[in-house]
Amino acid sequence: MKKSLYAIFVGLMVSLSSCDDFLAVEPPTGFTSEYIYSSESEIKAALAGVYSLMLRDDAYGNRLAYVYNSNTDVEMSGIATSAANVNGGDMACFEPKPYWTTLNGTWNTMYATINLTNDIIQGIETSELYRNADKTKTSTITQMYGEAKTLRAMLYLDLIRIWGDVVFRTVPSTSEEDLLVGVTDRNEILEFLIDDLKVVEPLMFYAGELDYGVERASREFCQGLIGLLAMNRGGWTLRPNVGNPASIGYMERGENHTHYYDIAIEYLGKVIDEGRHNLTLSFEELWNRENNWSTPHNDDMIFSIPMLKNSSSQFGYYLGIPITAGTHPYGGASGNLNLNALYLYSFDNKDLRRDVTCAPYRYNERLNQEIRLDLATLPTGKWSKLKMNNPLGVSSQAGTGINFTWMRFADVLLLYAEAVNEQFGPREDAKECLKRVRRRAFESSDWSTKVDAYVDVLGNKEDFFKAIMDERKWEFGGEGIRKFDLARWNKYSEVIYQLYHDMISWGKVANGGFDPHIPDAAASVYWQNIPDPNNSDRTILDIVGINEFVHARPAGYTEHELAKKWYALDNATESYEPIPTIRWSFRGFINYNNAAQVSPTDPLRYLCPYPSKVITDHRGKIQNYYGFNY
C-alpha cells in the first residue's frame, strides 16, 4: 500500500479556519505554538497539514491538475461556441472571467497553504530545537525547515504561473491584520525564493534518506526547484500595460537573465551529478507504477504530491482513459482531459512514449475498447484505472489516490540541456542530457538513428532549442506543464497561431484541398475489434491510419472520420468552413472572426485575472490588467 505522509499524521494535524477570507487564517487551535514546536513529531504533524491542504480540490487535488493548463499544442479543451461559459469552462481559450468562483477558490486555498508554511517556518525559527541544532550538518529539524520553505516556493511559483504578480507574504497572517496589501513583482518574488532555497538546500535529506521518499520535499527537489525558479526568472513573461488596463500587455524578459541561467545550470547540474536519480524504468513501467501507488525514490520521480485513495486525486478518473462503469471492479472514469489530435501525429512512429501517452479509445461497460479520437478528443493514457493491480471497486469514481507528479528527473535533464544551450550553445553535456531522455523513448536497436544521429546533427543553438521544445512536448504530454514552457520561451503566440492554421489546413487537405506546407493529412482512421491478448473475454482495437496516412478502407475495418470532419459544410452559411471547435477553442487569441488580423508575434493572454473578491477585499490596492478590467 502506498505510504502517504499526511495520512499517518491526520489525527495530529493543526486545524485551520475557513479560507473564505483572503489570508485570514487563524492560528492553530487546541495547541500552543510552544507545544507544537517543542518536539520534532509535533512539527512533522504540522508539516503534514501543508500536504493535506494541497490535496483540496481547489489546489492539487483537482484544479491545478488540469484546469489552468490548456490550451496548448498538447493538451486541448474543445470550445465550440463564441459565448462565454459562466461556470468557468472557457479558461482554456484564454478568456477567463474574474467572477468565476474557480479562481477565488484556488487563490484562497493556495494562500491558506502558504500561510501554514509561514507559520511553521516562523515556529521552527523561534524554537529551541532549531536554535540549538548544529547548522553544519543535516538533521531532522533542518530537513523540516527546508521542506517548509521548499513547499512554499513551489506554491508561489504555481501562483505566479497562473496570475503573474501576486501577493507575497513570508510571515504568518492573522485575522486581525490589515490585509490591504498589493501585489509584488513576480521577478522580485522569484529572486527571493531562489536565495531562500539556496540557504536551506545543503541541510536537507535526499529522498532516499526520507521515510516517505519522493512524497516529501527532498534535497534534490529543492535543487531542481531552484533550477526551475531560475529558468522562470530568466525566461519571458506577460507584463501589463499599466497605462492601459484594457490592453493585453506585452511579453518581456527580465534584466540579467543570463545570471539566472547560470544558477539553473549549477543547481540542475547538482541533481544530475549527484546521481541519485535515473531513467531506469521503461516509460510504460514508470506510469504502471504510478497507477499502482508505487514510486521509487531513485528513478524518474523527484517530487510526487501524495494523494489518498478513495479521497483525493483526479488522475485515472478525469485525467486518463474513459471507462463506463459496469459489473467490473474498476468503476467509472470520465477521461475529460484531452490531447489534440495533431499531437498524436507529431510523434515518431517508433517513439515508445506515444502509445503510453495517447490513447485513442475508451472502455465500455464490458471493458472492450471503442474508438475515441477527434480534433480535441484524445484521452491521455498515462493514467488508467485498468492499470491498477488492486482496483478500487465497482462504484469507484474519482479519489483514485494516484499521486500528482510535480517534478521528474527527465524534466531536470531537459531543463539543464536548455539552460546550457542558452548560455553556450549545444555543448556535449547538454546533448548527453537530451540523449538520456531519448534512449528511454526508443528501443536500443534504434538508438544509433533515433538518439545519436538525431542529437549529434544539432549543431547550432536554434536547432538544439527546437529539439528541446519538441522533446518536452513528447515527454510530458498530459502533465500540464506545456503552457508554462511556451510562456517562458515566448513561443505561446507562435505555437497557437500555427496550430489554429494547421488544423484548418488539415481539414482542407483531407477534403481534397492543397496546402504547400501540409502535403497529406489523416482524413480518416480505420479500426476493427480484435481479441485482447491479455483478457480472453475482451476486445481491443486495431487502428490503421496513425503510423501512416491511409486513404482507402482496408477490408474488414470500419472508417472513423478524422480531419475530414474538420472543414465541413456549414448549413447556416452554405459554405465550407472550419468546424466550431477550431473556430473558438483559442478565441481569446485567434478565432474565426479575427484570424486575418492576428500575428504570431502578438501577445497571448495566458494569465488569469485576479478574482473579483480579491479586488474588492483589497479596496483598490490590486487591479486587473490584460483586458480583464471590468
Side-chain angles (χ1 to χ4, degrees), residues 314-329:
Q314 293 285 332
F315 295 100
Y317 178 75
Y318 197 99
L319 298 90
I321 304 174
I323 304 170
T324 301
T327 58
H328 59 79

Side-chain angles (χ1 to χ4, degrees), residues 2 13 29 44 141 198 211 221-222 242 274-275 296 302 397 401-402 442-443 470 473 510 526 532 578 602:
K2 178 175 78 73
M13 287 190 303
T29 59
K44 191 174 185 180
I141 191 67
K198 282 182 178 180
D211 47 1
F221 176 52
C222 184
V242 178
E274 288 168 1
I302 288 181
Q397 296 291 319
I402 298 172
F442 293 91
E443 298 286 1
D470 287 341
K473 175 170 68 173
Y526 305 89
D532 184 341
D602 291 342

Side-chain angles (χ1 to χ4, degrees), residues 129-140:
L129 282 172
Y130 186 72
R131 284 201 297 265
N132 296 332
D134 183 350
K135 306 303 191 303
T136 65
K137 62 181 181 180
T138 305
S139 63
T140 300

Side-chain angles (χ1 to χ4, degrees), residues 31 62 84 129 208 304 330 340 368 380 396 412 531 576 588:
F31 302 103
N62 186 311
L129 282 172
S304 189
Y330 297 96
N340 77 70
N368 296 321
T380 176
S396 64
V412 168
Y576 280 86

Side-chain angles (χ1 to χ4, degrees), residues 37 39-48 117 120-121 124 129-130 138-151 200 203-205 210 216-217:
Y37 298 104
S39 75
E40 291 177 347
S41 62
E42 297 300 335
I43 296 172
K44 191 174 185 180
L47 193 58
T117 65
I120 293 169
I121 290 165
I124 292 175
L129 282 172
Y130 186 72
T138 305
S139 63
T140 300
I141 191 67
T142 62
Q143 160 62 30
M144 291 190 292
Y145 183 59
E147 191 168 359
K149 287 199 166 190
T150 302
L151 293 174
V200 298
L203 296 177
M204 294 178 69
F205 287 120
L210 290 169
R216 288 182 65 180

Side-chain angles (χ1 to χ4, degrees), residues 187 224 242 270 279 299 350 471 591 626:
N187 281 352
V242 178
K270 284 186 177 185
L279 304 180
D299 204 80
K350 292 187 175 182
E471 205 65 35
N591 59 62
Y626 314 113

Side-chain angles (χ1 to χ4, degrees), residues 76 342 375 493-509 514-518 521 566-567 578 581-583 586 589-602:
M76 183 169 175
L342 294 190
L375 177 75
S493 302
E494 177 184 326
V495 165
I496 294 300
Y497 178 91
Q498 191 64 49
L499 180 62
Y500 174 83
H501 287 288
D502 282 351
M503 287 177 169
I504 294 175
S505 295
W506 267 56
K508 289 181 177 179
V509 170
F514 172 76
D515 188 304
H517 304 293
I518 300 177
W566 299 356
Y567 200 79
T581 305
I582 295 178
R583 295 187 215 175
F586 317 105
F589 174 65
I590 187 170
N591 59 62
Y592 187 66
N593 293 332
N594 74 354
Q597 289 77 47
V598 174
S599 162
T601 59
D602 291 342

